[in-house]
């Protein structure tokens, strides 16, 4: 009986090293084949997963050969797993699992090399790294450096390498809606607090007061949407934008019934920003402060942004939907936390 892929049922085809699924690229490897697949990694980087609440158990698989339940084995200390058949003693690796193994092996090799250094060599290495980090203060491209010095946040160190096609499509849709809507779009599509409805709150996400309003929103969407799309099932990005954006604008309308009209995608984009803070905790935000580029953890930036929006809302500064921004960030952060608590995050693919 031929072996079949445990995910899509395709018959496995033997390649140069081990049987492989021609559709998803998964590999069914024995111990000796595993060594040939990942020469820099060893089976010592794998260990049986003992946590019953681990995300690995949410996707049970059957052995491609004997149909016995596969047991998840953790890859290093990552939230990444391979699956092993206790009967056949073979491993099932998704394509990205092999990349994760290589990444862990490289990291381990660097650590072993560092441990072999003498104390003097370690001090010299530390000095060299410190000097390399000086100069312009941050390793940014000229475009990112310009954006940072303009006071715009540049997001660094997000996990994942997926192409953010949904984020790009949403940005394109907002731009098209602006130019199609014409000069009356704010009045036609906007949310009027005196007669607020959910339908108007939804359509208001696609109306903008001018080109600068649109461009500003698009920048923040592209900057933070990428990080969110790396960790979410892609349709959820659109759902988050639409549902939380609509809710944020409704809350703004209830808080400011005297305002004539509310419009703009900033509530939904603020929700994307809040979710990014939670779903990409290792990311950094680079901004220019007093002509100096400063890196801060994304959670620190998020707290500062919440404080700014709260202050502006309390002072009643006109011209900006501060309450929609504040509500969006809070709702987005809560949504991101719910995704993490339910272990629904997408495993980031290493670049």
């Amino acid at each position: 009986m031929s072996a079949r892929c445990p995910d899509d049922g395709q018959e496995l085809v033997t390649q140069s090293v081990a049987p492989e699924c021609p559709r998803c690229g998964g590999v069914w490897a024995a111990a000796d084949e595993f060594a040939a697949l990942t020469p820099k990694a060893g089976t010592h980087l794998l260990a049986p997963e003992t946590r019953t609440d681990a995300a690995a158990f949410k996707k049970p698989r059957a052995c491609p050969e004997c149909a016995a339940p596969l047991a998840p084995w953790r890859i290093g200390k990552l939230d990444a797993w391979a699956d092993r058949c206790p009967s056949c003693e073979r491993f099932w690796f998704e394509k990205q699992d092999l990349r994760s193994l290589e990444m862990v092996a490289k990291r381990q090799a660097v650590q072993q090399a560092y441990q072999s250094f003498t104390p003097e060599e370690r001090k010299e290495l530390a000095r060299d790294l410190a000097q390399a980090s000086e100069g312009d203060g941050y390793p940014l491209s000229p475009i990112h450096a310009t954006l940072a010095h303009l006071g715009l946040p540049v997001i660094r160190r997000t996990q994942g390498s997926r192409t953010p096609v949904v984020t790009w499509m949403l940005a394109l849709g907002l731009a098209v809606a602006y130019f199609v809507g014409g000069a009356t779009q704010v009045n036609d599509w906007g949310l009027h607090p005196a007669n607020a409805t959910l339908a108007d709150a939804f359509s208001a996400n696609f109306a903008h007061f001018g080109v600068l309003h649109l461009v500003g929103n698009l920048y923040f969407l592209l900057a933070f949407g990428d990080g969110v799309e790396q960790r979410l099932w892609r349709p959820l990005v659109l759902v988050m934008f639409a549902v939380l954006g609509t809710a944020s604008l409704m809350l703004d309308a209830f808080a400011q019934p005297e305002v004539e009209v509310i419009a703009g995608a900033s509530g939904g984009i603020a929700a994307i920003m809040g979710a990014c803070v939670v779903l990409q905790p290792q990311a950094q935000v680079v901004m220019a402060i007093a002509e100096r580029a400063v890196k801060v953890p994304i959670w620190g930036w998020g707290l500062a942004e919440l404080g700014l929006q709260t202050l502006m809302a309390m002072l009643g500064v006109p011209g900006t939907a501060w309450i929609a921004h504040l509500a969006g960030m809070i709702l987005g952060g809560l949504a991101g936390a719910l995704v993490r608590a339910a272990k629904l995050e997408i495993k980031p693919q290493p670049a």
Side-chain angles (χ1 to χ4, degrees):
M1 182 178 178
S2 60
R4 294 188 174 275
C5 174
D7 290 328
D8 55 33
Q10 286 288 308
E11 184 173 347
L12 302 184
V13 179
T14 300
Q15 300 292 344
S16 57
V17 176
E20 179 179 327
C21 177
R23 178 177 294 177
C24 71
V27 177
W28 181 235
D32 55 341
E33 296 166 339
F34 170 78
L37 282 168
T38 55
K40 295 181 180 180
T43 53
H44 64 283
L45 296 178
L46 299 170
E49 178 57 80
T50 57
R51 297 183 304 130
T52 57
D53 62 340
F57 290 99
K58 292 184 177 296
K59 189 178 182 181
R61 291 188 173 106
C63 174
E65 294 185 31
C66 68
L70 296 179
W73 282 48
R74 179 176 287 271
I75 299 174
K77 295 182 180 179
L78 301 177
D79 283 333
W81 298 269
D83 295 283
R84 182 178 183 273
C85 176
S87 300
C88 302
E89 297 185 348
R90 296 176 72 95
F91 286 92
W92 174 257
F93 294 99
E94 293 183 359
K95 194 172 184 179
Q96 64 195 39
D97 292 334
L98 295 176
R99 293 198 296 265
S100 297
L101 273 167
E102 290 288 348
M103 181 179 66
V104 173
K106 289 178 181 178
R107 184 182 302 169
Q108 190 175 71
V110 170
Q111 292 173 345
Q112 291 173 348
Y114 179 76
Q115 291 172 356
S116 68
F117 289 174
T118 64
E120 291 74 18
E121 289 174 330
R122 295 183 184 183
K123 289 181 181 179
E124 184 177 354
L125 177 62
R127 285 195 298 269
D128 291 343
L129 290 175
Q131 291 173 359
S133 66
E134 293 176 354
D136 65 358
Y138 50 93
L140 295 177
S141 67
I143 294 177
H144 282 163
T146 301
L147 292 171
H149 280 290
L150 289 174
L152 296 171
V154 174
I155 316 303
R156 310 287 287 176
R157 292 176 54 184
T158 54
Q159 292 182 311
S161 59
R162 305 168 81 191
T163 301
V165 291
V166 169
T167 301
W168 294 350
M169 289 172 58
L170 179 56
L172 178 61
L174 291 174
V176 170
Y178 173 77
F179 290 106
V180 169
T184 63
Q185 63 178 281
V186 170
N187 186 62
D188 295 341
W189 300 350
L191 174 63
H192 301 270
N195 187 28
T197 66
L198 284 176
D200 288 344
F202 173 76
S203 63
N205 286 286
F206 301 92
H208 288 85
F209 288 97
V211 174
L212 290 180
H213 186 202
L214 171 68
V215 170
N217 277 343
L218 292 184
Y219 177 82
F220 280 86
L221 171 62
L222 294 173
F224 290 90
D226 183 8
V228 173
E229 191 167 343
Q230 301 300 329
R231 307 309 301 270
L232 278 186
W233 184 48
R234 282 181 162 135
L236 283 180
V237 179
L238 296 177
V239 172
M240 179 179 292
F241 171 82
V243 173
L244 301 187
T246 299
S248 300
L249 294 183
M250 284 296 289
L251 289 172
D252 196 8
F254 290 148
Q256 302 185 86
E258 73 282 359
V259 175
E260 182 179 349
V261 62
I262 298 171
S266 52
I269 294 171
I272 298 292
M273 292 161 59
C276 189
V277 171
V278 176
L279 296 174
Q280 292 283 358
Q282 297 182 6
Q284 291 181 334
V285 178
V286 183
M287 292 186 67
I289 300 177
E291 299 185 356
R292 180 184 178 89
V294 177
K295 296 178 184 177
V296 296
I298 193 169
W299 60 265
W301 177 88
L303 289 176
E305 190 68 15
L306 283 174
L308 174 64
Q309 303 299 329
T310 302
L311 178 62
M312 294 295 102
M314 291 176 63
L315 294 176
V317 177
T320 303
W322 304 110
I323 295 176
H325 295 179
L326 181 62
M329 286 197 69
I330 293 174
L331 292 175
L334 291 174
L338 181 61
V339 167
R340 298 198 72 179
K343 301 187 184 301
L344 298 176
E345 292 174 278
I346 299 296
K347 181 166 56 176
Q349 298 179 1

